[in-house]
Amino acid sequence: MADREERRFAEVSRESVKLVAEGAGVELGDDVAALLAEDVCYRLREATQSSSQFMRHAKRRKLTVEDFNRALRWSNVEAICGYGAQDALPFRSVKEGELFFIEDRDINLVELALATNIPKGCAETMVRVNVSYLDGKGNLEPQGTVPTAVQSLSDELLKYYQQITRAILGEDPHLMKVALLDLQSNSKIAALLPYFVYVISGVKSVSHDLEQLNRLLHMVKSLVQNPYLYLGSYVRSLVSSVMYCILEPLAASINPLNDHWTLRDYAALLLSHIFWTHGDLVSGLYHQILLSLQKVLSDPVRPLCSHYGAVVGLHALGWKAVERVLFPHLPAYWANLQAVLDDYSVSNAQVKADGHKVYGAILVAVERLLKMKALSQPVEGGSSGLPATVVGAVGYRVSSPGLSPPPEPLSEAALGIASHLQAGGAGCPWEEWTPVPLPAMYCELYSFFGDSLAVRFSTGPDFGSFPTCTPSQLRDARKEAPGNASNPDTTRKMPQLTANLNISPRQDGSPRTDPPPPSLAVTGAARALARSSSSSSSSSSSSMQRSRSSSSRSGQRSAGLSRDVFPKARFTSPQIGPPAFTFIIGGRQMGRRCQGRRPFQTTFAPTPPLSAIPPRAYAHKLPVIGRVGKPVRRWACSHYSLHLPL
Amino acid sequence: MAAVQGGLVDAVEKKDIKTEPSEDSGGNNNANDGRILSPPPGSSASAPGGNKTPAGAPEDQQTLLAVLQFLKKNNLAESVEILRREAGLPEDALDLKAGDSSGAGSGGAGDTVDLEGEDASSLLSRVTVSSSAAAQAPTKAPSEDQPDVNVVLSAYSQQGDPALYGVYYSGLKRFIESVLDCHRAELSQVFYPLFVHMYLELVYNNHENEAKVFFEKFSGDQECYYEDDLRVLSSLTKKEHMRGNETLLDFRTSKFVLRISRDSYQLLKRHLQERQNNQIWNIIQEHLYIDIFDGMPRSKSQIDAMSGSLAGEAKREANKAKVYYGLLKEPEIELPLDDEDEEAENEEGKPKKKKPKKDSMGSKSKKQDPNAPSQTRIPLPELKDSDKLDKIMYMKEATKRIRLGPDNLPSICFYSFLNAYQGLTAVDFTDDSSLIAGGFADSTVRVWSVTPKKLRKVKSAADLNLIDKESDDVLERIMDEKTASESKILYGHSGPVYGISFSPDRNYLLSCSEDGTIRLWSLQTFTCLVGYKGHNYPVWDTQFSPHGYYFISGGHDRVARLWATDHYQPLRMFSGHLADITATRFHPNSNYVVTGSSDRTIRLWDVLTGNCVRIFTGHKGPIHALAFSPNGKFLASGATDGRVLLWDIGHGLMIGELKGHTDTIYSLKFSRDGEILASGSMDNTVRLWDAMKAFDDLETDDFTAATGHIHLQDNSQELLLGTYMSKSTPVIHLHFTRRNLLLAAGAYNP
């Protein structure tokens, strides 16, 4: 056998047989081993042949382990277990022993059993019908590739295609609207899908033209929303086009007058929309998106607008994405951002302005992260604090259709993400990721953002009301000594979230273990009550009361933790300027972008006309674009947030 | 094929047991192939197979006799006496036996070895399978009915000088290459079976190295379509392997059939006799069946068209039986007039239109088609009222049917199974295209409604009691609205579901599975009603009769079974295939079934008698798709070789070959009027063929020549009307709606 020249089949060598025998504690003679080897080969071939029959009848081209096992079973041989996995099994060799083996990693059963990442069951099997060929005519081109030429379509479709693209990319806004609308509802354009996708992939060539980019993105949106289109693997292509708009330092961004920020926001929104509605079409999509976002974020060479894109992208993908990517990455990133923000030189003004954008975006993302996290961890959230946060978060969700990924019932979203993460399997950078408990997270974040975080965090639903604030209220609020700074805010807010755990950033002097003021629980509950009854007046009063109660502690606060982190940015001149209404824009965006920033604005729920509050509480904290003095103001006024009537 | 030796024994024994009752019932004698089933190949005691002695355990007795002979030969008289006494054998048992056997042998019932003459030693050689025994037994009587492996293999025990095999073979090769062209093609047919048998002989006699040399030297000369078999053969190098290798067993138990003209045969015979080439001559005598015909020798292409099966071509007489391929008369159903009136007035002309149309479809005229079986040839279920309603619906739909043709191709709708991670293995539509069912590799069967009407279960017994049974809409009322859903899943099988079939009345669904069972499901309650056990191996295909009630199944055990839904045992067992039965179909008149097999043959069976009435050879790979034309005259078959072959059932001839597909054909369907043949394949395409033209062309030919050697022109390209790609979706089922819209189905494979 061994000296056979022509090897037509894979053969098990005599040596292998001997080795295996040794493994089983049997010594084999050469001749016996040779005989055995030959027989083993023959039986293997025989089994392989019969297993191919199972493959043929299953109408497959690929022979599976299962086929082989069936063949074995029918010939009364025990099936071989453990090779059914989808992924290729790594085959290793050990030099010394000339041994080959399959690497078999241990699986932690306990971990597996207790895993909270419950995979979303695979999509249900279904049957869909489409008319492929009418009267025996149709597109003879095999579908599924992006065509290079548009010639092979039927005349009608070709005409349609030309009209549509011309309308969308043309000058007439009305025409464009009509075209987009049709694209969104036309049921017969499946054949054109590859062409449209191809057109959209042209984003890379028009990166200088914001208008065109915008139109192309709208085109994506229409395609995605068309219920008759099965996007299939084209999702990938669409996503990459959208990602391009989110992340790339577009040529259009060079001119600061171009509002590429809005484009990025819109693209991010679109991304989340695609993902939530079509994410299941491409496996591992979520991962790839997260990876590329993370890559951009961790690349300091990239311009700030790319970072901004990454942050909004993560934000749009949901709070889990923020938690997994942005949050762990924040400490590293913060240093860079801080450096930008702290550079007051004139030449840096533009960059700094961009930096503030990023800052704002991160803040919003982080805020939602905290809220959602609080919401999703009822146990940790604490009995007293929770109801309020829940309500707040819900209000937030409801009121911000633009911001949160559109159809995102909470539970589903969580599952979806979890399953995707799990699907990623080995090699995923988040594998070793462990969830940070909410309080710890808050703490850490607080160390970056200071009170601006707290303010945002506590106030979700009420912000819409600023415009209604009367000057007197403002004055009233301001009476609460600005000097007291933001401490009351923190104390107030923190217990809300973490009452049980007592971790809250405090002023240096105060012991960390300080029990929360008993009154807090009470007020928290009261607040919840008030909220649920949705009476604006009661809520305002209760909040007032609370603010007062907590104000007693306010004095303690001085620079605090946050100060070390932001030594320069804060505290320079605490009292400057009435913060008043600037924060309408969400505090972060000012100037030209205001109108466009709908997503961020909408974070503020429309609320009952608000009494007591501190629109200015907001104003202060915002990094104001391009102006050196602003951060200061933000800091100075942050204490006002304490008085938010909740 | 799956069975490695050990597993087979058990199952085969069971099979044998199963076989007996049906034989007793009298309907199931296979006229053309007496081999029913292989008995346990493991049994060491062997006997001349077809020898039917009245004794209780003939095999044991044979063994005893053999031992007796051995003793006697060695003059151990005392032992002979003792043994005889203990076994209770009569004094003259030996002589009796010999006479018996020789009688049977000359009668053609099939003895391997002639017992006259050196009976003792030859019998001994059989019993002990001693290859060393120089038993040059004059084996004249061919074994046709020889189920025992040892006996079969022992035919190889005779041998010449192993070194000379190659010389013999190449001598013959030289001769055949030198004969006139017209004979060369015919005589070349001999190469393959000769090659195989010589190789096996070498292997059997433990000349491993010679066998290898022989194989390497000559395997390249064989026709490419034998490649698969050669692969099996080449892996077999030891005598031990021959046992339990079913492919081999097939080769041994059935004679390879060749069709050769008388002239060519004489040429060969003369040559071999001149050369005294006994080795080859013996093989030809023993293992080949040469079907000699008078007339022109066939051309190479004619031969190639028909060869390729595991056991050569079909014998001509195998296809001589009369087949009643005509359709049964449709029962007279008067169209309820009121129903007609409800329709729009413009449809009033319908009944008139219908009549002529039906005639034009041919074969359905009022008088019995001379080719049709009598209405009562097999008992068919009575039509129920609901069936009549359905027939009326059918006729109505038929009037709206689109007339297809080369200039008027059908529209194609594709039903894609999405997210079928568990593997879609079978699909079926109801005749009215209202339901679609899929069989999956995860053992489930899923049924979808493809109309807006949801699937509902019947209410539970308790709830049914509460229903007013007199009400007009009682049929509506018995349904449980709460269970309405677009699809239902049927759980019950424990292996992949390889075939499913809806009953014509849409009340039942059949599924067959790897677990060896066929299950009958109710589509009213969506539960399993019956599990039919009989196949002991995976069941590859099943189908309901077009009239309901009966169904046919076939599987790995090589036996096709005919069942009735209310019998838990099969009514008929059709055995004769040499390998798995991979596809089964009912003839439109329910009187015949056709089976396709991995042995690359197609067999048509008479349901009434259980006989095999047609054997079609010509495919070069396992047959996975079969379809009868609506008029019952023609059959189309598709195989892994990507070719569709067309057959004339009445004449038993191949009448067309459609080349184009590049992968296994899994589905074939004729349009409702038979003008178009659609084929769906693994290569993700649907192809449409001009069936009318294929059949018409042929009718102009004079193929009634008794030899039946038609010359196929290669006109696939003319007949191909269109190729339609799917989106990376293998087409595993095709269906024409009653209006001739083509539905295709498959699982999307991203």
Side-chain angles (χ1 to χ4, degrees):
Chain A
M1 181 95 191
D3 10 306
R4 189 161 155 190
E5 302 104 306
E6 193 198 359
R7 297 195 167 221
R8 304 177 61 96
F9 303 96
E11 283 175 2
V12 178
S13 73
R14 211 183 314 185
E15 292 74 27
S16 310
V17 172
K18 272 176 141 174
L19 258 173
V20 173
E22 265 171 41
V26 185
E27 277 290 321
L28 284 186
D30 262 4
D31 45 342
V32 180
L35 278 175
L36 266 179
E38 200 173 351
D39 198 59
V40 165
C41 293
Y42 177 74
R43 300 294 165 202
L44 269 179
R45 270 173 235 146
E46 204 174 32
T48 313
Q49 293 229 334
S50 43
S51 58
S52 73
Q53 191 147 26
F54 289 95
M55 171 191 75
R56 271 209 306 278
H57 282 280
K59 302 179 170 79
R60 266 185 279 114
R61 271 197 200 86
K62 199 170 164 190
L63 188 72
T64 63
V65 178
E66 210 165 302
D67 291 332
F68 199 82
N69 276 338
R70 281 186 210 292
L72 290 182
R73 207 158 50 233
W74 281 109
S75 33
N76 277 1
V77 178
E78 253 177 66
I80 303 168
C81 300
Y83 293 84
Q86 295 291 321
D87 344 314
L89 293 164
F91 203 51
R92 295 285 168 81
S93 70
V94 170
K95 289 262 163 47
E96 312 83 64
E98 281 186 36
L99 266 181
F100 295 87
F101 64 97
I102 283 162
E103 198 180 355
D104 215 356
R105 262 183 296 168
D106 287 343
I107 293 175
N108 187 344
L109 281 180
V110 177
E111 205 169 88
L112 200 67
L114 300 179
T116 48
N117 294 342
I118 298 162
K120 188 167 66 168
C122 37
E124 201 180 334
T125 308
M126 52 187 171
V127 185
R128 287 292 171 265
V129 65
N130 62 306
V131 178
S132 310
Y133 296 94
L134 205 54
D135 295 335
K137 293 182 213 57
N139 176 16
L140 295 190
E141 188 88 352
Q143 301 179 22
T145 50
V146 175
T148 49
V150 185
Q151 266 76 359
S152 56
L153 288 171
S154 75
D155 285 351
E156 294 86 350
L157 277 178
L158 191 59
K159 215 176 268 170
Y160 176 84
Y161 167 78
Q162 283 166 349
Q163 295 291 347
I164 288 283
T165 46
R166 207 170 292 159
I168 292 179
L169 299 179
E171 296 302 309
D172 186 343
H174 177 68
L175 255 184
M176 180 183 92
K177 215 170 276 174
V178 173
L180 287 174
L181 218 57
D182 189 70
L183 211 52
Q184 194 175 325
S185 55
N186 197 321
S187 58
K188 306 183 182 75
I189 55 172
L192 285 174
L193 179 61
Y195 299 88
F196 286 130
V197 169
Y198 183 67
V199 168
I200 289 165
S201 68
V203 284
K204 285 156 194 148
S205 54
V206 292
S207 73
H208 56 280
D209 189 340
L210 272 184
E211 183 61 17
Q212 294 285 50
L213 287 175
N214 216 355
R215 284 157 184 259
L216 288 173
L217 284 181
H218 275 98
M219 200 163 161
V220 174
K221 183 163 175 249
S222 292
L223 289 178
V224 168
Q225 289 183 339
N226 188 326
Y228 302 101
L229 280 183
Y230 176 70
L231 295 182
S233 48
Y234 290 116
V235 166
R236 209 177 277 280
S237 171
L238 290 180
V239 163
S240 82
S241 296
V242 173
M243 293 281 277
Y244 180 86
C245 291
I246 299 178
L247 293 180
E248 287 308 307
L250 306 168
S253 318
I254 296 170
N255 183 350
L257 293 181
N258 276 335
D259 186 11
H260 57 102
W261 308 102
T262 313
L263 182 83
R264 291 180 201 277
D265 291 345
Y266 181 70
L269 205 60
L270 202 53
L271 178 69
S272 79
H273 184 59
I274 295 175
F275 174 68
W276 290 118
T277 51
H278 294 79
D280 53 334
L281 295 179
V282 181
S283 61
L285 184 64
Y286 182 75
H287 258 304
Q288 290 171 8
I289 296 176
L290 282 197
L291 269 178
S292 48
L293 291 176
Q294 191 200 31
K295 220 172 92 192
V296 169
L297 200 59
S298 56
D299 183 356
V301 182
R302 293 245 181 186
L304 283 169
C305 55
S306 291
H307 293 156
Y308 176 82
V311 174
V312 277
L314 286 169
H315 180 59
L317 284 178
W319 63 274
K320 289 237 174 186
V322 175
E323 185 183 16
R324 293 217 152 183
V325 180
L326 179 59
F327 176 68
H329 199 66
L330 213 46
Y333 186 68
W334 198 257
N336 294 331
L337 187 58
Q338 196 62 49
V340 170
L341 293 181
D342 289 348
D343 183 350
Y344 295 104
S345 65
V346 177
S347 61
N348 191 46
Q350 185 56 44
V351 178
K352 188 157 147 50
D354 291 355
H356 283 301
K357 289 270 187 204
V358 180
Y359 177 86
I362 295 178
L363 186 57
V364 170
V366 154
E367 176 195 357
R368 189 156 77 106
L369 165 64
L370 286 174
K371 283 187 173 163
M372 299 306 282
K373 198 156 163 74
L375 194 58
S376 70
Q377 297 181 330
V379 186
E380 284 181 53
S383 51
S384 64
L386 181 67
T389 35
V390 167
V391 175
V394 169
Y396 162 92
R397 271 174 46 71
V398 170
S399 64
S400 57
L403 180 57
S404 58
E408 186 196 9
L410 231 202
S411 56
E412 237 183 59
L415 278 181
I417 291 171
S419 73
H420 278 283
L421 287 175
Q422 197 165 59
C428 130
W430 300 285
E431 208 173 24
E432 66 290 3
W433 177 82
T434 46
V436 180
L438 181 58
M441 182 183 281
Y442 185 72
C443 252
E444 183 169 353
L445 290 174
Y446 189 87
S447 68
F448 296 132
F449 292 98
D451 289 339
S452 49
L453 179 65
V455 170
R456 313 208 88 256
F457 187 60
S458 63
T459 54
D462 294 320
F463 288 163
S465 60
F466 323 120
T468 65
C469 295
T470 62
S472 69
Q473 284 170 320
L474 288 176
R475 231 171 293 128
D476 201 31
R478 224 191 303 172
K479 261 182 238 156
E480 300 268 319
N484 285 350
S486 50
N487 196 18
D489 169 31
T490 26
T491 43
R492 155 151 307 289
K493 290 325 167 190
M494 298 309 295
Q496 245 180 11
L497 258 188
T498 63
N500 305 347
L501 293 165
N502 275 325
I503 307 179
S504 57
R506 268 160 220 272
Q507 158 209 1
D508 305 355
S510 73
R512 295 231 154 199
T513 49
D514 237 5
S519 65
L520 282 181
V522 175
T523 48
R527 189 215 271 190
L529 267 180
R531 278 306 217 106
S532 59
S533 66
S534 82
S535 124
S536 60
S537 64
S538 74
S539 72
S540 69
S541 68
S542 77
S543 76
M544 288 308 284
Q545 179 201 353
R546 257 189 299 131
S547 67
R548 224 158 283 136
S549 78
S550 57
S551 65
S552 58
R553 315 177 114 244
S554 62
Q556 305 170 344
R557 217 238 174 203
S558 59
L561 279 178
S562 51
R563 198 190 188 179
D564 308 327
V565 181
F566 285 121
K568 278 187 214 154
R570 310 173 179 188
F571 289 142
T572 13
S573 61
Q575 262 94 303
I576 293 179
F581 294 99
T582 36
F583 74 96
I584 292 176
I585 316 157
R588 247 152 310 150
Q589 289 85 17
M590 330 214 66
R592 51 184 188 274
R593 299 192 53 248
C594 298
Q595 304 84 338
R597 295 307 261 90
R598 202 176 49 98
F600 283 11
Q601 257 172 315
T602 47
T603 44
F604 307 101
T607 358
L610 220 288
S611 41
I613 296 320
R616 40 199 140 149
Y618 254 145
H620 56 299
K621 69 181 169 227
L622 286 188
V624 179
I625 299 187
R627 246 134 298 167
V628 177
K630 294 273 165 77
V632 177
R633 206 183 311 155
R634 141 187 70 158
W635 185 243
C637 300
S638 62
H639 65 281
Y640 281 125
S641 61
L642 290 183
H643 307 291
L644 289 184
L646 284 177
Chain B
M1 191 183 288
V4 173
Q5 175 79 2
L8 192 62
V9 180
D10 244 15
V12 172
E13 270 162 2
K14 272 186 236 152
K15 267 186 270 171
D16 279 346
I17 292 163
K18 286 275 179 210
T19 314
E20 276 157 27
S22 66
E23 265 181 326
D24 292 342
S25 75
N28 191 30
N29 298 319
N30 296 304
N32 65 0
D33 192 341
R35 192 185 75 99
I36 304 289
L37 279 168
S38 332
S43 65
S44 61
S46 60
N51 208 342
K52 298 224 161 42
T53 39
E59 279 183 15
D60 287 352
Q61 211 169 356
Q62 289 290 321
T63 314
L64 283 173
L65 284 174
V67 176
L68 273 180
Q69 279 177 332
F70 180 79
L71 296 174
K72 213 169 173 185
K73 192 180 164 211
N74 292 291
N75 295 325
L76 303 168
E78 226 176 282
S79 313
V80 171
E81 274 311 308
I82 295 169
L83 181 61
R84 189 179 289 159
R85 217 180 311 120
E86 282 188 356
L89 287 172
E91 187 98 352
D92 53 352
L94 268 182
D95 308 332
L96 253 184
K97 228 35 223 183
D100 221 36
S101 305
S102 66
S106 58
D111 263 10
T112 326
V113 183
D114 197 327
L115 289 184
E116 293 153 322
E118 305 176 336
D119 49 4
S121 62
S122 64
L123 183 52
L124 182 66
S125 78
R126 255 178 291 136
V127 173
T128 59
V129 200
S130 86
S131 53
S132 56
Q136 281 289 356
T139 51
K140 288 281 153 47
S143 120
E144 212 177 353
D145 191 355
Q146 203 57 281
D148 192 288
V149 186
N150 284 341
V151 173
V152 168
L153 294 183
S154 72
Y156 284 135
S157 56
Q158 42 159 321
Q159 55 164 322
D161 182 350
L164 287 179
Y165 274 54
V167 178
Y168 290 148
Y169 188 87
S170 44
L172 185 69
K173 192 172 150 194
R174 262 199 309 282
F175 162 71
I176 290 178
E177 274 163 3
S178 68
V179 298
L180 285 178
D181 284 357
C182 62
H183 300 299
R184 190 184 307 147
E186 284 207 314
L187 293 181
S188 303
Q189 296 177 82
V190 177
F191 282 138
Y192 175 67
L194 259 189
F195 168 79
V196 175
H197 284 289
M198 290 173 88
Y199 176 75
L200 292 180
E201 231 171 82
L202 287 172
V203 170
Y204 184 81
N205 293 316
N206 291 326
H207 303 298
E208 192 181 330
N209 290 325
E210 284 89 348
K212 266 180 214 150
V213 170
F214 183 77
F215 189 92
E216 264 148 41
K217 195 161 169 198
F218 299 112
S219 65
D221 298 346
Q222 310 306 327
E223 299 285 355
C224 53
Y225 40 77
Y226 292 121
E227 202 180 315
D228 286 345
D229 288 343
L230 288 179
R231 198 172 305 135
V232 174
L233 215 57
S234 68
S235 71
L236 182 138
T237 50
K238 287 257 187 290
K239 188 171 157 189
E240 292 75 36
H241 297 159
M242 295 177 78
R243 260 174 230 210
N245 187 316
E246 298 183 33
T247 313
L248 266 189
L249 209 60
D250 296 333
F251 219 91
R252 307 300 321 117
T253 50
S254 58
K255 294 188 128 199
F256 199 93
V257 180
L258 300 170
R259 276 193 216 176
I260 294 183
S261 70
R262 187 170 300 282
D263 293 349
S264 306
Y265 178 69
Q266 295 295 353
L267 218 58
L268 177 69
K269 194 170 165 190
R270 213 174 310 133
H271 166 78
L272 292 176
Q273 281 171 352
E274 275 170 17
R275 294 293 182 86
Q276 305 261 310
N277 198 338
N278 284 332
Q279 199 67 39
I280 289 181
W281 186 241
N282 281 340
I283 290 178
I284 289 178
Q285 290 284 299
E286 250 177 87
H287 303 300
L288 269 50
Y289 180 98
I290 297 186
D291 193 5
I292 300 163
F293 64 89
D294 295 307
M296 284 277 290
R298 294 187 294 169
S299 71
K300 174 94 174 101
S301 66
Q302 279 174 319
I303 293 168
D304 281 348
M306 302 294 286
S307 52
S309 101
L310 199 62
E313 294 180 49
K315 294 170 199 166
R316 270 171 307 155
E317 58 264 37
N319 288 339
K320 287 283 188 263
K322 165 108 176 123
V323 173
Y324 301 98
Y325 56 79
L327 299 188
L328 295 176
K329 213 160 45 151
E330 285 294 318
E332 300 283 334
I333 301 170
E334 47 319 335
L335 286 171
L337 282 172
D338 52 344
D339 196 35
E340 204 63 15
D341 289 342
E342 280 168 26
E343 302 279 329
E345 285 153 48
N346 57 0
E347 294 202 287
E348 236 162 66
K350 212 191 282 169
K352 283 172 218 152
K353 244 166 74 188
K354 199 170 306 157
K355 289 269 159 58
K357 186 144 192 194
K358 264 169 78 184
D359 285 346
S360 68
M361 284 177 232
S363 70
K364 278 194 192 170
S365 42
K366 310 126 242 167
K367 258 298 115 215
Q368 181 84 9
D369 180 344
N371 289 314
S374 80
Q375 210 70 16
T376 53
R377 190 162 178 270
I378 62 165
L380 291 173
E382 297 252 319
L383 281 189
K384 288 176 294 195
D385 285 354
S386 58
D387 297 331
K388 285 181 185 156
L389 278 178
D390 199 52
K391 284 256 188 289
I392 292 167
M393 278 305 297
Y394 174 78
M395 283 192 252
K396 275 187 188 164
E397 290 275 302
T399 59
K400 298 176 191 161
R401 184 180 292 165
I402 296 165
R403 195 110 181 118
L404 299 179
D407 307 319
N408 194 9
L409 296 176
S411 300
I412 307 176
C413 283
F414 206 102
Y415 284 81
S416 311
F417 285 72
L418 304 176
N419 306 320
Y421 307 113
Q422 61 281 70
L424 179 69
T425 44
V427 178
D428 195 31
F429 285 95
T430 52
D431 186 69
D432 68 349
S433 317
S434 63
L435 301 177
I436 183 173
F440 292 86
D442 68 354
S443 321
T444 58
V445 176
R446 289 157 201 254
V447 185
W448 283 266
S449 166
V450 296
T451 61
K453 209 173 142 203
K454 301 245 167 128
L455 301 174
R456 295 168 302 177
K457 290 185 190 176
V458 172
K459 288 179 181 164
S460 69
D463 290 341
L464 283 177
N465 270 333
L466 305 175
I467 289 176
D468 173 13
K469 280 147 195 102
E470 303 305 316
S471 72
D472 293 336
D473 59 345
V474 67
L475 286 180
E476 262 308 298
R477 291 192 186 197
I478 58 171
M479 307 311 286
D480 187 352
E481 275 308 322
K482 279 177 297 199
T483 60
S485 65
E486 200 183 60
S487 77
K488 296 267 183 235
I489 306 183
L490 308 175
Y491 298 102
H493 281 296
S494 58
V497 178
Y498 291 121
I500 49 177
S501 174
F502 280 107
S503 73
D505 61 5
R506 294 188 296 285
N507 282 328
Y508 305 106
L509 176 69
L510 273 178
S511 62
C512 65
S513 157
E514 189 252 3
D515 62 16
T517 63
I518 303 149
R519 281 176 185 268
L520 181 74
W521 308 86
S522 163
L523 297 182
Q524 302 292 333
T525 59
F526 293 98
T527 52
C528 183
L529 301 177
V530 196
Y532 300 96
K533 296 175 184 171
H535 290 280
N536 290 308
Y537 283 105
V539 188
W540 298 131
D541 200 7
T542 186
Q543 202 207 11
F544 252 114
S545 132
H547 295 88
Y549 186 61
Y550 299 111
F551 63 94
I552 177 81
S553 66
H556 179 68
D557 61 5
R558 306 164 179 209
V559 182
R561 286 169 162 80
L562 178 86
W563 310 74
T565 47
D566 56 359
H567 287 63
Y568 66 92
Q569 282 191 322
L571 304 180
R572 295 282 184 278
M573 308 208 349
F574 307 108
S575 66
H577 276 297
L578 301 177
D580 299 35
I581 290 172
T582 49
T584 56
R585 283 292 172 269
F586 251 99
H587 190 274
N589 68 19
S590 288
N591 277 263
Y592 296 91
V593 294
V594 68
T595 54
S597 162
S598 304
D599 68 7
R600 308 187 286 271
T601 63
I602 299 160
R603 282 169 187 254
L604 184 75
W605 310 87
D606 188 334
V607 165
L608 181 68
T609 63
N611 289 337
C612 174
V613 289
R614 290 288 180 271
I615 302 177
F616 297 129
T617 62
H619 272 298
K620 318 286 190 250
I623 289 139
H624 279 269
L626 292 165
F628 281 102
S629 68
N631 61 13
K633 277 172 91 171
F634 304 106
L635 174 70
S637 60
T640 53
D641 57 10
R643 300 181 315 147
V644 178
L645 296 183
L646 301 174
W647 311 89
D648 180 307
I649 295 168
H651 297 95
L653 292 175
M654 184 196 297
I655 52 174
E657 177 187 11
L658 307 175
K659 284 187 272 195
H661 281 293
T662 56
D663 208 331
T664 306
I665 294 163
Y666 277 117
S667 64
L668 284 168
K669 200 77 168 193
F670 281 94
S671 66
R672 293 281 175 162
D673 296 330
E675 307 99 333
I676 302 272
L677 172 65
S679 58
S681 155
M682 251 327 235
D683 63 10
N684 301 345
T685 62
V686 174
R687 284 171 205 254
L688 299 180
W689 311 88
D690 189 343
M692 280 320 239
K693 188 158 180 243
F695 297 143
D696 280 350
D697 280 1
L698 168 131
E699 252 138 8
T700 61
D701 280 356
D702 179 23
F703 66 76
T704 47
T707 54
H709 300 143
I710 43 109
H711 189 75
L712 289 176
Q713 68 258 55
D714 186 9
N715 57 353
S716 297
Q717 284 316 306
E718 294 163 42
L719 297 176
L720 179 64
L721 298 177
T723 302
Y724 303 95
M725 320 258 186
S726 69
K727 205 167 172 180
S728 53
T729 309
V731 184
I732 65 169
H733 192 75
L734 290 167
H735 176 78
F736 276 96
T737 66
R738 290 171 173 179
R739 298 187 190 185
N740 266 340
L741 173 68
L742 178 56
L743 310 181
Y748 175 61
N749 264 340

